[in-house]
């Protein structure tokens, strides 16, 4: 069996790395990796951490690239790759423009598509934008839907003539793998610590990440204003700055050289894991960071008006804070006070996975029977959670 995996961004690389490593040990499959280069440096950096090298690198990233321009280049390039590779199945992950291009290019050639992390939904195509539209389209195209949670699988209940399996999230596998490496590889641990900024020990440490396209403009400025006021009070904030100019410009203009705020370049995944471990509270609009925080037992405030990871909210691991300045400040103050009174410890079981998602995904890709991931004692799958008012 010949599989071709198509990825383009850092989150895809991290979440597919455990799957690709597992596929590499299977004699029954020829596994090939094609990267679009949607995120050039961040993608390569993330794959290198997991000792993975792409078989095909399209190097499509261009300065000031538009979504449509990148998608058009990706479709043409991937069409050529598929004609040359002739895979039995194409595997894509998540909801990026690279994932959409990989799925649609395969569909145009009648090649079956497996979608890892299928079924995430807000049912609002403007939030997250454009990811909600992308993942709904990919799920319509794919015939094999590998959902990370029961809630995600429940969103696929109308799918016909499709294989749906709850696997757990492979991002949890990636965190577990990195934790193992950090525990046994002193060189990696020292490199990860060296990549982190100096951290104060006398104030609560907050890790913030912002990158969502639907927050460009006023919502992002509101978040930055909240972070400035929080840092002027009782906490220190570390913020890895996303390289997109629509993010980096406002973030640096509002937050650079502010007391209590440390702006850093995007961190390698091992350093990011170490920083989450050190942080008292996570403020993020990233789905992957929400999952990492839950895996590492850290509370998270979600800087969005709706979350497609309702499992964390239902488990008490996350709270929806929105993007308005006063709301973010109030939620942060409330969470810090709660942590002062009752520190949060890691939750078991993790609603996002048990570290064996890649095993289930590989078994499903090879057509082998595999039991679904289940969270013991879980209630009915939660629905997307939104702020009201």
């Amino acid at each position: 069996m010949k599989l071709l995996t198509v990825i383009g961004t850092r989150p895809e690389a991290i979440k597919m790395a455990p799957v690709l490593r597992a596929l590499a040990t299977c004699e029954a499959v020829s596994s090939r990796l094609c990267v679009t280069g949607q995120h050039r440096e961040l993608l390569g950096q993330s794959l290198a951490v997991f000792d993975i090298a792409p078989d095909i690198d399209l190097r499509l990233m261009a300065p000031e690239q538009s979504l449509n321009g990148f998608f058009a280049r990706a479709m043409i390039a991937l069409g050529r790759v598929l004609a040359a590779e002739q895979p039995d199945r194409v595997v894509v992950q998540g909801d990026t423009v690279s994932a959409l291009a990989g799925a649609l290019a395969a569909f145009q050639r009648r090649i079956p598509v497996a979608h890892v992390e299928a079924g995430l939904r807000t049912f609002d195509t403007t939030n997250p934008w454009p990811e909600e539209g992308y993942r709904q389209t990919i799920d319509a195209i794919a015939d094999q839907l590998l959902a990370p949670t029961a809630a995600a699988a429940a969103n696929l209940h109308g799918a016909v003539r499709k294989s749906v399996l709850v696997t757990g999230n492979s991002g949890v596998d990636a965190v577990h793998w990195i934790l193992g490496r950090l525990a046994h590889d002193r060189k990696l641990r020292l490199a990860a610590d060296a990549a982190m900024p100096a951290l104060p020990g006398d104030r609560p440490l907050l890790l913030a990440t912002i990158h969502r396209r639907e927050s460009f403009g006023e919502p992002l400025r509101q978040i930055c204003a909240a972070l400035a006021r929080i840092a002027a009070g009782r906490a220190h904030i570390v913020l890895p700055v996303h390289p997109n100019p629509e993010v980096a410009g406002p973030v640096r203009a509002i937050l650079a050289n502010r007391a209590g705020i440390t702006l850093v370049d995007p961190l390698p995944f091992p350093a990011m894991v170490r920083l989450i471990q050190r942080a008292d509270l996570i403020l993020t609009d990233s789905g992957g960071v929400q999952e990492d925080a839950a895996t590492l037992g850290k509370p998270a405030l979600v800087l969005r008006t709706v979350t497609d990871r309702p499992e964390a909210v239902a488990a008490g691991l996350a709270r929806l804070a929105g993007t308005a300045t006063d709301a973010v400040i109030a939620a942060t103050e409330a969470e810090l006070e709660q942590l002062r009174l009752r520190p949060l410890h890691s939750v078991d079981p993790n609603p996002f996975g048990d570290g064996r998602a890649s095993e289930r995904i590989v078994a499903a890709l090879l057509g082998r029977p595999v039991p679904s991931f289940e969270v013991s004692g879980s209630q009915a799958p939660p629905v997307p959670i939104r702020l009201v008012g």
Side-chain angles (χ1 to χ4, degrees):
M1 184 181 189
K2 188 173 184 179
L3 297 176
L4 180 70
T5 299
V6 177
I7 63 174
T9 67
R10 168 184 167 134
E12 291 167 279
I14 291 170
K15 291 189 174 186
M16 284 305 297
V19 179
L20 292 166
R21 288 180 61 86
L23 284 171
T25 67
C26 294
E27 295 182 358
V29 62
S30 169
S31 173
R32 302 267 287 168
L33 173 62
C34 175
V35 300
T36 66
Q38 182 180 340
H39 289 174
R40 178 71 262 153
E41 293 183 6
L42 297 182
L43 174 66
Q45 177 192 85
S46 300
L47 288 174
V49 167
F50 292 91
D51 299 319
I52 294 172
D55 300 291
I56 304 162
D57 188 346
L58 299 179
R59 301 178 181 273
L60 296 178
M61 184 176 179
E64 299 181 0
Q65 64 188 11
S66 68
L67 292 173
N68 283 342
F70 181 85
F71 180 75
R73 295 195 303 277
M75 285 292 293
I76 293 171
L78 287 169
R80 295 176 181 140
V81 169
L82 294 173
E85 293 288 318
Q86 295 291 310
D88 298 303
R89 178 176 290 281
V90 166
V91 183
V92 298
Q93 192 282 331
D95 46 26
T96 69
V97 66
S98 291
L100 177 63
L104 189 56
F107 178 76
Q108 302 282 48
R109 300 185 67 87
R110 292 183 176 270
I111 299 171
V113 175
H115 186 197
V116 176
E117 202 177 76
L120 269 63
R121 292 289 187 277
T122 63
F123 299 102
D124 176 359
T125 54
T126 68
N127 196 350
W129 179 87
E131 289 85 355
E132 180 70 14
Y134 289 174
R135 60 196 180 199
Q136 289 193 30
T137 303
I138 295 169
D139 284 341
I141 289 171
D143 70 299
Q144 192 168 37
L145 304 174
L146 303 169
T149 65
N155 292 330
L156 300 167
H157 70 277
V160 295
R161 295 190 298 277
K162 294 176 184 283
S163 169
V164 179
L165 175 69
V166 180
T167 63
N169 198 298
S170 57
V172 175
D173 299 27
V175 172
H176 286 190
W177 191 84
I178 287 295
L179 288 175
R181 285 282 309 278
L182 287 169
H184 297 99
D185 187 333
R186 183 173 180 272
K187 183 178 179 180
L188 179 67
R189 188 167 62 252
L190 291 174
D193 288 346
M196 287 196 299
L199 303 175
D202 59 342
R203 308 174 75 191
L205 177 63
L206 278 55
L207 168 63
T209 74
I210 323 166
H211 78 285
R212 298 237 59 89
R213 285 178 177 270
E214 67 269 16
S215 292
F216 288 1
E218 185 58 24
L220 191 145
R221 287 190 288 272
Q222 291 262 329
I223 292 171
C224 289
L227 297 179
R229 285 168 55 184
I230 292 166
R234 56 185 289 196
H236 188 93
I237 298 173
V238 175
L239 197 165
V241 182
H242 195 279
N244 189 315
E246 295 283 354
V247 177
V251 166
R252 295 192 184 280
I254 298 171
L255 298 178
N257 301 315
R258 290 258 186 182
I261 292 181
T262 302
L263 302 182
V264 297
D265 291 333
L267 296 170
F269 189 54
M272 192 68 173
V273 169
R274 294 283 277 178
L275 187 54
I276 293 173
Q277 287 182 306
R278 293 281 300 275
D280 296 292
L281 177 63
I282 313 300
L283 289 80
T284 185
D285 60 8
S286 162
V289 173
Q290 290 177 59
E291 295 155 359
D292 296 344
T295 302
L296 295 166
K298 298 294 181 174
L301 292 179
V302 183
L303 303 176
R304 296 165 63 177
T305 57
V306 60
T307 178
D308 39 22
R309 270 80 172 180
E311 299 88 352
V313 177
L317 295 166
R319 178 189 304 186
L320 203 58
T323 61
T325 298
D326 289 342
V328 172
I329 293 171
T332 302
E333 290 291 339
E335 197 66 36
L336 287 175
E337 182 62 17
Q338 181 172 317
L339 287 172
R340 186 183 69 82
L341 297 173
R342 181 168 51 85
L344 181 72
H345 299 285
S346 59
V347 173
D348 188 23
N350 182 349
F352 293 117
D354 57 2
R356 300 180 59 194
S358 55
E359 296 176 28
R360 297 185 186 93
I361 291 167
V362 170
L365 291 172
L366 298 181
R368 297 170 180 168
V370 56
S372 292
F373 163 67
E374 294 182 0
V375 180
S376 60
S378 62
Q379 304 299 315
V383 298
I385 295 173
R386 302 173 184 274
L387 286 178
V388 177

